Amino acid sequence: MPENKEVRTRFAPSPTGFLHVGGARTALFNYLYAKAQGGKFLLRVEDTDQARSTEESFKTILESLKWLGIEWDEGPHVGGPYGPYVQSERISIYKEYTEKLISEGKAYRCFCTQEELEAKKKQAEAMGVPYVYDGLHANMSEAEVQEKLKAGTPYSVRFKTPSKTLIFDDIIQGKVKFETKLIGDFIIVKSDGFPSYNYAVVVDDGLMKISHVIRGVGHLSNTPRQILIYEALGFPVPEFAHASEIVGMDGKKLSKRAGATSILAFRDLGYLPETFLNYMALLGWTSPDGQEYLPGDILPKTFDVHRCSKSPSTFDVFRKPKGGDEEVATNFSSLDQIADAMNPKSKLNWLSNKYIRELPIQKVAESLVPFLENRTDIPAEYRDPKNKELHSLVDSVRVYLDNLRQAPDYIAEFFVSDLKVEDGEAKEILSQEFSPNIVSTFYELLKKSDPKTDEDYKALMTQVGEQTGQKGKTLFMPIRVSATGKAHGLELPILFPLLGKEKLLKRIEKISVQVGISLP
Ligand code: GLU
């Protein structure tokens, strides 16, 4: 690391939408690296695109970071020595530096109109060469400039790009070589007086003493411009680390909806913040010992941006997109839709199950509370996260959960009071000729045995199959309906041990009376 001793990183979102996985991973890598190095992590809001920035988006981004537990040492709400941390409140600071650059001959006003620039672009296109601004106003005399200013001619400010070969070492992407003549003199202040992204970012990173810029690889191509500005302003150039692309299960750039899904959707789907952080940390980084389940403070202790990989990482949360591009581009409109599109065997689910199983039960119960609201089939006292009975219920079902949103259906099974055979499929199943025999055989064998585990119940059902000569669905469905009244629900080997033998026997008795099956 050159001049800056303390590690200072930042996350600099533009408030133009949700915080999605790409942005959240960038925030996380910056946060973790600062933590691991005993440095500072800053949050800076880049809202110079006034047309696209919204207060709503700003709030959602903050809410998402808070949910994830990514706390900033300096930034909005907490302040800090280099504030303000919102770019639209820093306009006078950029102005000061722009004037300095102009007076030093490192930038100049460009009075070209939009139409003139468009025509030049078209001409370059027609000639099949990349468009580079021709520097028309670079050498205007002071008198000419003053005249235009007096006349109120709109202008932008362009950076006078020195022609050279720029070489820098990116921590993740390696050596990058760039010919600056390919960029030409680029705009640093737009005609509306707002700084361009490449300019504001450098003024801020310089003044905020950022030591490491960690961000998505999409910004790699902006880096040469930014380095030129650092040099022109006399700020030390920070280290850069451009994290590789995140791809979907099809190996392609994340589809619009998968990539744009708000982080908060994962909260609402019942994933714990620790799970999601752990999952995101593995998108492009590997822990020194290769472990993937990294609870507690392992991440902030071990994360090192130098261990990030150059190859794309796979976001396996959603299944391979089905159908054409049109379907892929549709935005999710409901949580159910997102849940449907998810890959049940994702690493996220594997981690999630592990966290749900291993976190203290009190913590799991607390996180579960929002999912129990509006569940009229679960008694209200179970919404108290200190309820010991809730703890034991959660403890018995948590091994089956991929997320907390699935939990209420499991828990509700314990409170079924008016067990009834549902009309339709369930009724039909029990009216099949062979059903009474299956149900009564199951009942009889259950009464005589003492099954405890899922394996015990599987064995019991196999025995029923042998005695009745039935197997597969024909065997399981009547047993299911006789125990639940429904044709669909939890896997039987999961449900039965949860209910226990006595409850199960009572349920079968109740249903059998309803449909006229006589039990032994
Ligand atoms: N506001 C930029 C973005 O959201 C920040 C890029 C950077 O980190 O330099 O992409």
Side-chain angles (χ1 to χ4, degrees):
M1 204 190 340
E3 283 98 317
N4 293 327
K5 286 241 154 43
E6 188 188 31
V7 167
R8 291 175 60 83
T9 63
R10 80 328 186 252
F11 176 49
S14 303
T16 55
F18 301 126
L19 182 65
H20 46 72
V21 62
R25 180 191 63 164
T26 297
L28 178 66
F29 280 12
N30 279 285
Y31 168 79
L32 290 177
Y33 191 57
K35 290 292 135 203
Q37 299 290 321
K40 293 267 179 337
F41 168 66
L42 283 67
L43 175 66
R44 182 176 70 231
V45 180
E46 304 207 324
D47 60 345
T48 52
D49 186 345
Q50 290 283 293
R52 291 176 59 226
S53 300
T54 67
E55 185 64 25
E56 181 70 21
S57 159
F58 172 70
K59 283 195 191 136
T60 313
I61 293 172
L62 260 53
E63 190 184 347
S64 306
L65 292 174
K66 285 204 172 129
W67 175 65
L68 288 167
I70 298 180
E71 284 171 8
W72 49 101
D73 302 301
E74 294 171 28
H77 302 323
V78 301
Y82 304 105
Y85 293 88
V86 176
Q87 286 190 330
S88 58
E89 295 168 20
R90 299 174 61 82
I91 302 301
S92 59
I93 300 176
Y94 309 124
K95 262 205 182 111
E96 193 187 308
Y97 282 93
T98 310
E99 271 152 32
K100 190 168 171 271
L101 287 175
I102 294 178
S103 69
E104 291 171 356
K106 294 173 178 168
Y108 60 89
R109 294 180 179 87
C110 164
F111 296 94
C112 288
T113 63
Q114 205 52 40
E115 292 73 37
E116 283 166 343
L117 294 173
E118 284 302 325
K120 286 180 192 184
K121 257 184 212 161
K122 280 220 174 92
Q123 203 180 356
E125 241 167 60
M127 288 163 63
V129 291
Y131 168 71
V132 177
Y133 179 69
D134 56 10
L136 182 69
H137 293 124
N139 300 309
M140 269 175 119
S141 72
E142 185 55 27
E144 274 176 293
V145 171
Q146 287 309 325
E147 198 179 309
K148 292 251 185 211
L149 288 178
K150 232 184 251 152
T153 320
Y155 66 90
S156 54
V157 179
R158 285 185 186 267
F159 184 75
K160 204 183 256 177
T161 301
S163 187
K164 63 174 183 174
T165 305
L166 201 114
I167 298 173
F168 64 96
D169 263 313
D170 188 273
I171 294 177
I172 302 172
Q173 304 296 329
K175 204 177 265 317
V176 179
K177 200 170 156 190
F178 197 86
E179 295 302 332
T180 63
K181 62 171 181 287
L182 297 173
I183 331 178
D185 296 348
F186 56 93
I187 293 179
I188 56 173
V189 180
K190 297 172 272 184
S191 53
D192 62 4
F194 278 89
S196 71
Y197 152 68
N198 278 311
Y199 179 50
V201 87
V202 173
V203 173
D204 290 349
D205 285 344
L207 292 175
M208 294 175 185
K209 301 202 177 341
I210 297 304
S211 64
H212 292 76
V213 170
I214 306 171
R215 59 189 173 194
V217 72
H219 284 294
L220 188 64
S221 58
N222 286 318
T223 310
R225 285 179 179 78
Q226 294 177 11
I227 292 176
L228 292 174
I229 301 175
Y230 278 107
E231 291 173 349
L233 291 173
F235 290 133
V237 180
E239 301 242 19
F240 292 98
H242 286 90
S244 290
E245 195 161 40
I246 302 175
V247 296
M249 289 282 276
D250 52 359
K252 292 192 198 132
K253 209 173 141 81
L254 274 191
S255 73
K256 253 196 192 158
R257 64 179 191 175
T261 304
S262 166
I263 289 305
L264 294 178
F266 296 100
R267 170 193 69 186
D268 300 342
L269 284 166
Y271 291 91
L272 293 160
E274 342 4 30
T275 304
F276 210 75
L277 280 189
N278 189 153
Y279 179 74
M280 285 195 302
L282 300 173
L283 292 173
W285 173 78
T286 40
S287 70
D289 59 3
Q291 292 298 319
E292 298 202 303
Y293 173 60
L294 306 162
D297 59 0
I298 299 179
L299 273 175
K301 275 199 172 139
T302 56
F303 183 84
D304 186 351
V305 73
H306 295 84
R307 287 190 57 82
C308 285
S309 156
K310 213 171 144 165
S311 22
S313 47
T314 308
F315 183 71
D316 69 349
V317 168
F318 294 109
R319 288 187 316 255
K320 220 170 169 168
K322 284 188 285 195
D325 286 339
E326 216 179 313
E327 189 248 355
V328 175
T330 320
N331 275 319
F332 289 125
S333 57
S334 72
L335 280 182
D336 285 334
Q337 234 179 20
I338 302 181
D340 278 352
M342 287 176 89
N343 164 20
K345 296 210 158 55
S346 67
K347 190 181 282 179
L348 176 68
N349 279 351
W350 172 76
L351 278 172
S352 179
N353 175 264
K354 228 166 152 48
Y355 274 94
I356 292 173
R357 273 189 291 150
E358 299 197 8
L359 278 174
I361 198 73
Q362 170 73 28
K363 173 109 208 320
V364 180
E366 276 162 19
S367 310
L368 187 62
V369 172
F371 298 94
L372 296 173
E373 267 162 35
N374 309 321
R375 288 297 296 232
T376 46
D377 51 354
I378 299 171
E381 61 268 27
Y382 283 78
R383 270 163 242 165
D384 172 6
K386 289 198 225 50
N387 183 329
K388 290 282 173 248
E389 280 167 53
L390 171 68
H391 289 189
S392 62
L393 284 191
V394 173
D395 206 20
S396 56
V397 302
R398 62 172 157 176
V399 59
Y400 307 113
L401 304 177
D402 283 338
N403 59 59
L404 294 179
R405 195 169 177 248
Q406 295 168 337
D409 283 347
Y410 284 75
I411 293 173
E413 278 296 341
F414 293 94
F415 301 103
V416 174
S417 52
D418 59 339
L419 197 63
K420 257 203 243 104
V421 184
E422 278 180 359
D423 283 336
E425 201 182 346
K427 260 203 178 128
E428 269 163 40
I429 288 166
L430 286 191
S431 64
Q432 282 162 321
E433 199 188 320
F434 47 80
S435 291
N437 186 26
I438 293 173
V439 174
S440 56
T441 310
F442 180 67
Y443 180 83
E444 191 179 6
L445 290 175
L446 177 62
K447 230 176 166 175
K448 283 197 279 195
S449 57
D450 190 21
K452 294 260 188 295
T453 65
D454 56 344
E455 289 302 328
D456 296 343
Y457 277 100
K458 272 187 209 159
L460 193 69
M461 286 189 278
T462 309
Q463 231 181 316
V464 178
E466 281 160 10
Q467 287 198 18
T468 59
Q470 305 290 350
K471 58 180 184 201
K473 269 189 145 188
T474 336
L475 171 67
F476 298 130
M477 287 309 254
I479 298 178
R480 170 185 290 288
V481 181
S482 74
T484 67
K486 298 182 196 127
H488 305 278
L490 296 183
E491 299 270 317
L492 298 184
I494 294 176
L495 174 67
F496 290 168
L498 289 179
L499 287 176
K501 174 180 167 178
E502 292 313 318
K503 246 193 191 154
L504 189 51
L505 287 171
K506 289 227 167 60
R507 281 179 168 218
I508 300 173
E509 285 160 16
K510 202 162 180 182
I511 296 271
S512 298
V513 171
Q514 280 173 41
V515 295
I517 293 179
S518 50
L519 295 172

